[in-house]
Amino acid sequence: LEQQYQQASAALKLAQIEAKPQPVISLGYVNTRETAPQETSQQQRIAVGLSVPLPSFKSTAAVIQAQQAMQQINQQQASQQRQILAQQQQYDQLAQQTLAQQYQQLTRQQLPLAQQIQQKILQGFAAGKFGVMEVQQATRDYQQLQREQLEVLRQAWQLSFARQALALGLTQSDIN
């Protein structure tokens, strides 16, 4: 959008310059001969000419107005794009904070607790208080929390890459 804005701005300036009449000065040398019945004379003169085009014959006002309208549209689009980009950055920052909180909760609370439960059930199984089904369920729960932790970590990295790409001016399709 920034490039489109610059192109529209350059086209507008060019149209404004072309709209101004550009006078042309010409300089020349004129050699004339006159033949009269009794004598022949030769005259030499320097000729200077000035040509000023009339702007009323050249319809550039419509071109200038169209260029100005295009420039205004490009400015509005660039402004909207900057607003969207700022909103996206705020949303991404909030999402990254949320993912960090989830990861910390999984790492500090849920995983250690699930591991302790699994160990207790294994001890109870060894003592004959729990069956195989309870051991399998505790192991599945612990593994599920590990998968959730890895998924949260993957999402955080992906979001981090997207934020960096956005800061560099790349789109999500450029990353993929």
Side-chain angles (χ1 to χ4, degrees), residues 24-153:
V24 177
I25 298 175
S26 59
L27 182 64
Y29 177 76
V30 179
N31 189 8
T32 58
R33 287 187 186 178
E34 292 183 13
T35 55
Q38 295 165 347
E39 67 181 69
T40 302
S41 67
Q42 190 171 7
Q43 293 182 351
Q44 297 176 351
R45 291 180 267 164
I46 294 178
V48 177
L50 176 64
S51 172
V52 179
L54 298 174
S56 62
F57 294 118
K58 197 170 185 181
S59 174
T60 57
V63 173
I64 291 174
Q65 287 177 349
Q67 293 295 333
Q68 286 173 338
M70 181 64 101
Q71 187 178 19
Q72 287 176 348
I73 289 171
N74 285 338
Q75 283 176 337
Q76 289 172 350
Q77 286 177 342
S79 175
Q80 289 174 349
Q81 189 70 21
R82 283 190 293 273
Q83 288 176 350
I84 290 170
L85 182 64
Q87 290 173 350
Q88 183 67 38
Q89 286 174 341
Q90 289 175 349
Y91 172 77
D92 288 348
Q93 183 177 4
L94 182 62
Q96 199 163 21
Q97 289 172 352
T98 303
L99 287 171
Q101 289 172 353
Q102 287 176 354
Y103 183 79
Q104 293 300 323
Q105 183 180 15
L106 281 167
T107 303
R108 293 183 181 163
Q109 294 173 358
Q110 293 178 357
L111 276 172
L113 183 61
Q115 189 176 23
Q116 287 175 0
I117 291 171
Q118 183 190 27
Q119 293 300 322
K120 297 285 184 190
I121 289 180
L122 283 173
Q123 289 172 356
F125 177 73
K129 294 183 179 180
F130 292 111
V132 175
M133 296 297 286
E134 287 85 6
V135 172
Q136 288 177 341
Q137 185 61 44
T139 303
R140 270 192 236 118
D141 291 345
Y142 180 64
Q143 289 173 346
Q144 178 63 31
L145 285 173
Q146 287 177 324
R147 280 192 293 275
E148 286 179 26
Q149 181 189 29
L150 291 175
E151 179 61 23
V152 167
L153 192 59

